[in-house]
Amino acid sequence: MSRPQQLISSLNCARLGRTIRQVLASGPVHEPIQVHGWVKSIRLQKRVAFAMVHDGTTSKSLQVVFQNPVHAKVLTNGASVRLRGVLVPSPGSGQENELLADSVDVLGECDPETYPIQKQALTTDYLRDHAHLRVRTDVQGAVLRLRDAVMGSFREFFRENDFTYAHTPIITANDTEGAGETFRVVPAPSGRASYAPITQDTEFFRKPSYLTVSSQLHLEALSNGVARVWTLSPCFRAERSQTSRHLAEFWMLEAEWTFVYSVEDICSVVEASIKHVLRLDSADRSLLQKDAGTSRALMAASSEVSWARITYTDAIHELQKSGVHFQYPPTWGAALQSEHERWLAESFARGPIFVTDYPSAIKPFYMRQNDDGKTVACFDLLVPHVGELVGGSLREERQTLLEAAIKRHGLDDGVYQWYLDLRKFGGAPHGGYGMGFERLISWLTGIENVRECIPMPRWSGRMLL
Amino acid sequence: MSRPQQLISSLNCARLGRTIRQVLASGPVHEPIQVHGWVKSIRLQKRVAFAMVHDGTTSKSLQVVFQNPVHAKVLTNGASVRLRGVLVPSPGSGQENELLADSVDVLGECDPETYPIQKQALTTDYLRDHAHLRVRTDVQGAVLRLRDAVMGSFREFFRENDFTYAHTPIITANDTEGAGETFRVVPAPSGRASYAPITQDTEFFRKPSYLTVSSQLHLEALSNGVARVWTLSPCFRAERSQTSRHLAEFWMLEAEWTFVYSVEDICSVVEASIKHVLRLDSADRSLLQKDAGTSRALMAASSEVSWARITYTDAIHELQKSGVHFQYPPTWGAALQSEHERWLAESFARGPIFVTDYPSAIKPFYMRQNDDGKTVACFDLLVPHVGELVGGSLREERQTLLEAAIKRHGLDDGVYQWYLDLRKFGGAPHGGYGMGFERLISWLTGIENVRECIPMPRWSGRMLL
């Protein structure tokens, strides 16, 4: 998004000094400038030395030229430095400008013998074990910047469409799905691990409290007054499963809006918002997308051509007649397995596909009943390699049908009294969706495991820092 | 911020329909349009009826004119409606255009006898008890939109200055402050309240886990590779105190960056970012700022004039010679009390004031030791009526001094090994700050209690929804 020059200059805080991104974006500067960063590599020659220096504000490094190679002899990979010099056009290929340094100060040394982030390729497991340092790698720096850029793209989309960003509660009395494994929250007044029993008396909020598994119900309450809301909020599942698509703590983008009458319209919003993100021009994304096939597939998904849509019932038919031998035979009434979802996206649609109108028995209580009495007005968006990326629905806005669903699902209707109130007082047709943010990053980059799509991942048995 | 027309049209998702903000921003439209919203008030006359309808996308309501008053007879306050009609210039004052309705459908009725959000003034306590409905009030709708706009302003500021937004962990093994009351996180496999004892065996992460009290340490790790980072993240304190400035769950804006050498420079960034927010032109803010004195004070704070700065040592002198009888006599070496902070901002500076260089003994271990050996390179920003709004510091980047501080504070240095690593391998001078987001909203609006500055507040003994 281009911005008026005046705004840029008024917001730029001179006290912060120049970043390497700013230096590389500027033309040659003949007055001496000061630049900071970490040494990425050094090349010593007889009469001249070169260093590549980065500061993480861009995926690129600044080439620094020392006309006196002695200056570079104190440098090691990973050391932090302050440089002074002039920015001149580079005679070499690979960069437009380079810094002709006349002084260098090492601010923080880095012992090349013990530095954990060595130059040779490090395994994914090794980097997970060094969660506090892995942001120094090209890949993790790019993931961090890409998450920010993707969030910014969604923000643009939602703002243009009058959605308000909402901070929904993390600690909650509700368990949105009515099932699933949650975390309990209890006070630890000593600030230390306590193995004392939790009792009614120790409840900080005078009742049991949980970490949220979804912001949906809270967004529904807010969208009942501010008609369009969204959030990107942490969610928590105490699941022991160790797959490449699950984290105990993850970020979910959720949107909810009132005055929508069909699943088709919700799917259109999902598609428009993700296509806006897919069109994001990002050097970090190019750096991460190592596989040409991934890039081509994402390019195709970002085109004007609408994504495939199919009902669950038709999807079961297609799976049954595919001739593929699935471990779980596809059967109407049963959940789609990963193998089914992947076949639908990768072989059948060869791209993103919305599957709509699942059987009500396998979906949560809040989804809106279809007229057939058997299915609900919902969808999952399946994408190649990742599987389920988004799930959403119309929400049941008819009070009596919602009450019946709460009973049918064996839920405590006392807990949901406030949720019923939303229907009682000026409720209206509404719906929304949730998207796993790390899964989206995984799809956008081709990074296989969501543990590499978040700076500091948590899963069963693993929480560093 | 103005945006190119093309971008707007490409992002606007036609399937979403028109919001009331969009309708009010457009000129008269002669083709019939469809609008949705909730009825705010009705005025029935003999030959004509009026209704004000809002949808929360703006603080304003749309005036709807029924040339056949019978159409309006079915309406009640709070009911949700779908209207069709043409948008014409309004002969009345108070609005440029109005909707000449030729049809209205009630989507969700609202019984005027039992509707909890009656038109007469409702008490703060009453609205807190109706957390699921209070967003329907003008004030809470405006607070929600204002939070979004303020977050957008910070995003602009940080983006212009090459800060990357980072999602830091919520569940953590660390207790940043080395003190304070935290929440423990334990799995609840049944999804229900369990009063079974927590044992080593039940730890989901194989070790004790807590809800974060600050993202600072994690941001420090990230800023050691991506030099400038920020976040707006939920934080948690299990404090029993019931003040107007504390919540058990609150949002904290934190920024952290490498290559900064002085507290003065950190203060300048804080001041520049908040001034950018203070200059935000927002109808919601005007609606909330009921007090002319508040508006004038905030206008003054947003001017080019630099905010006051004073050292802690000088502040103690000023407090001592003020002649004011404080409940706690100001003494060098003791923390500033609320009464001291308010006097400094409200009477001494008559505006925001940075107090810098507090005694090391009353500040956390990670703050950078000054050369005097007695104070640390830190600051608090105090503002009128709110008190402490921001706290920040240079962080101790010298490994041996940091190790000594960890010992001095009686902390377990095994837990901080990764934090020491950040100094060992190319560490550099760095610093940052944290700002309570609800306190900022309180200051910007004059809303006295932070419980009204967040949609669904949690405090000791209280967690609705």
Side-chain angles (χ1 to χ4, degrees), chain A residues 7-25:
Chain A
L7 182 67
I8 293 178
S9 52
S10 75
L11 282 185
N12 192 285
C13 189
R15 288 297 190 98
L16 280 162
R18 278 187 177 85
T19 62
I20 288 182
R21 193 200 64 74
Q22 289 163 350
V23 169
L24 290 174

Side-chain angles (χ1 to χ4, degrees), chain B residues 397-428:
Chain B
E397 88 281 9
R398 295 161 294 185
Q399 199 187 337
T400 47
L401 287 176
L402 183 59
E403 278 167 340
I406 288 173
K407 282 219 174 64
R408 202 167 54 243
H409 282 79
L411 299 170
D412 175 0
D413 59 357
V415 174
Y416 292 100
Q417 215 48 57
W418 68 267
Y419 191 65
L420 286 163
D421 264 8
L422 303 180
R423 278 69 184 165
K424 204 166 155 187
F425 301 112

Side-chain angles (χ1 to χ4, degrees), chain A residues 13 15-16 19 21 36 136 155 161-162 171 182 184 186 188 210 224 228 249 261 265 425 458, chain B residues 13 15-16 19 21 36 38 136 148 161-162 171 182 184 186 188 193 224 228 249 261 265 425 458:
Chain A
C13 189
R15 288 297 190 98
L16 280 162
T19 62
R21 193 200 64 74
H36 289 96
R136 292 254 189 124
R155 200 174 161 80
N161 289 290
D162 279 352
I171 301 178
T182 56
R184 286 269 277 121
V186 296
Y210 305 92
N224 210 29
R228 299 180 183 180
E249 172 180 303
Y261 301 89
D265 283 351
F425 301 112
R458 276 93 178 81
Chain B
C13 189
R15 288 298 190 98
L16 280 161
T19 62
R21 193 201 63 76
H36 290 95
W38 290 275
R136 292 254 190 125
D148 182 12
N161 288 290
D162 280 351
I171 302 178
T182 56
R184 287 270 276 121
V186 296
N224 209 29
R228 299 180 183 179
E249 172 180 302
Y261 301 89
D265 283 352
F425 301 112
R458 275 95 178 80

